[in-house]
Amino acid sequence: MREGWGRVGVSGRLDNDVMAETGVTRTVLHVDMDAFFASVELRTRPELRGQPVVVAGAGERGVVVAATYEARAFGVHSAMPVGQARRLCPQAVWIEPHRAVYAEVSHGVMELLRAVTPLVQQVSIDEAFLDVTGALRRLGPARQIGERIRAQVRQGFGITCSVGIGRSKSVAKIASTRAKPDGLLEVPPDQTLAFLRPLPINALWGVGAKTEAALARLGIVTVGDLADSPLPTLVRAIGQANAMHLRAMANGQDNAPVVPERDEKSLGAEVTFDTDLPRGPELRRALLQLVERSTQRLRAQGLMCRTVGLKVRTSDFTTVSRARTLDSPVDSAKAVLAVAESLLAAVNLHGLPVRLIGVRLENLVQGEGQAVQLTLDQAAGPREPAALRAAEAAADQVRLRFGPKAVRPGTLVDTLCLEDDRQERR
Ligand SMILES: [Mg+2]
């Protein structure tokens, strides 16, 4: 986990420079699913809510991969050998993991977060940092953003998450841990030190049992103790790098930026409907909306795609994926929609209504003006008309300035977008 703090991307350094120049206080959210795998399992086993439930592979040699809070009360935790967990909590209900489902829910949650801001750094399957500093004017106070995310995760995926808000990633992460389960904790910037100081040192990200023991021998038990300790003493006990890093964090000095993934191999969006939809105009509208969202993100990153993928899940939970690779890359909603619609038309739904539909853009290449490789792509076939691309790019600019509702095809009903939710309430 520790390495994550030291890595600073180019954009991150720029962000920090801007922060330093303007004196803006960063606002970071840490969003963390509660007992993620177990919570996902309980969606299909609601009768087990409130009971100790352990998710673990078959056989006595396996380890626990997740446990509900009721099972944790017996001392069960993830990575614990199955045999030990059985002894601690013999009455627990055991469920085998369904990793494909977890990956799918994770993907959906991350998509939801990226609809709030592109500044999302996923740190594991079920947690991510969001830098909302630049989004506060658009989306409202951080606490409101956090509560909206919590509501959307609950409604959209049937699981709960906890949100920590602070002026840095480390403070936000500690806050979400304190908010668990199903809570939100905001640490106002001017209360950061008051919040940190009474905590045990293992609350700091990266303090393991060994560091904890070494510091305890010096009488350093709380974060406040650590903050007040002379650096040479700490260096002798836990080494130079560790000492500098932990002492800075204990003093609330953590400028590590939220670094969004730079090397996305694909991007997309999907939606699970409250009520399954038959083939028809409503399904088509949903598809258009997903195409719009994903192509906006594509263009925002200066990318184009060569492959358009479609995923359809019918009411019987059968999932079909189709993809088509184009001769030349595209980035307009119109071009992607044409492909997605023809893929959908070719899917045999067996007369069943659709439960989930998703669009995925793959084979991403740098857009115009950035990559030399594009001249090769251009040679490969006809490109999208420049006028169309220019029109959609202009619409992106308007959306950036005035919000997502400013430019939309008239019939769209947006069910996915946080910004839109807010505007509807105004
Ligand atoms: Mg979690």
Side-chain angles (χ1 to χ4, degrees), residues 30-36 69 72 124 126-127 180:
H30 182 252
V31 180
D32 194 358
M33 304 306 115
D34 301 320
F36 179 52
Y69 287 89
R72 292 179 192 197
S124 76
D126 74 327
E127 61 183 300
K180 280 186 167 297

Side-chain angles (χ1 to χ4, degrees), residues 231-382:
L231 191 57
T233 312
L234 293 175
V235 169
R236 274 195 301 278
I238 56 176
Q240 174 95 20
N242 216 2
M244 305 255 300
H245 171 75
L246 288 184
R247 212 174 78 122
M249 286 219 292
N251 283 294
Q253 293 156 0
D254 166 23
N255 288 318
V258 173
V259 184
E261 298 80 44
R262 299 270 118 196
D263 53 348
E264 274 188 292
K265 297 281 186 294
S266 70
L267 59 82
E270 60 182 44
V271 60
T272 303
F273 301 116
D274 292 337
T275 312
D276 298 349
L277 288 183
R279 221 188 258 287
E282 269 190 274
L283 188 62
R284 200 171 164 270
R285 267 201 297 277
L287 187 63
L288 169 59
Q289 185 187 327
L290 294 170
V291 166
E292 280 211 308
R293 167 163 306 293
S294 43
T295 53
Q296 278 167 27
R297 278 183 51 210
L298 190 71
R299 291 191 296 264
Q301 297 179 54
L303 299 170
M304 302 179 83
C305 71
R306 299 191 71 124
T307 302
V308 176
L310 175 81
K311 178 163 90 172
V312 178
R313 179 167 301 148
T314 42
S315 56
D316 64 345
F317 280 83
T318 304
T319 305
V320 177
S321 293
R322 296 279 184 270
R324 183 172 304 155
T325 298
L326 308 167
D327 289 338
S328 56
V330 295
D331 69 355
S332 78
K334 191 178 177 192
V336 171
L337 182 65
V339 180
E341 285 193 313
S342 78
L343 290 171
L344 178 60
V347 172
N348 185 352
L349 300 177
H350 298 284
L352 293 170
V354 172
R355 174 184 167 80
L356 172 151
I357 190 163
V359 169
R360 181 139 289 276
L361 310 180
E362 295 165 340
N363 258 325
L364 305 185
V365 296
Q366 288 292 310
E368 280 168 334
Q370 292 180 44
V372 183
Q373 77 195 73
L374 233 99
T375 46
L376 294 176
D377 295 330
Q378 278 167 331

Side-chain angles (χ1 to χ4, degrees), residues 1 24 62 91 119 129 185 257 376 401 403:
M1 280 300 217
V24 173
Q91 68 273 52
L119 286 177
F129 290 107
L185 179 60
L376 294 176
R401 288 189 57 194

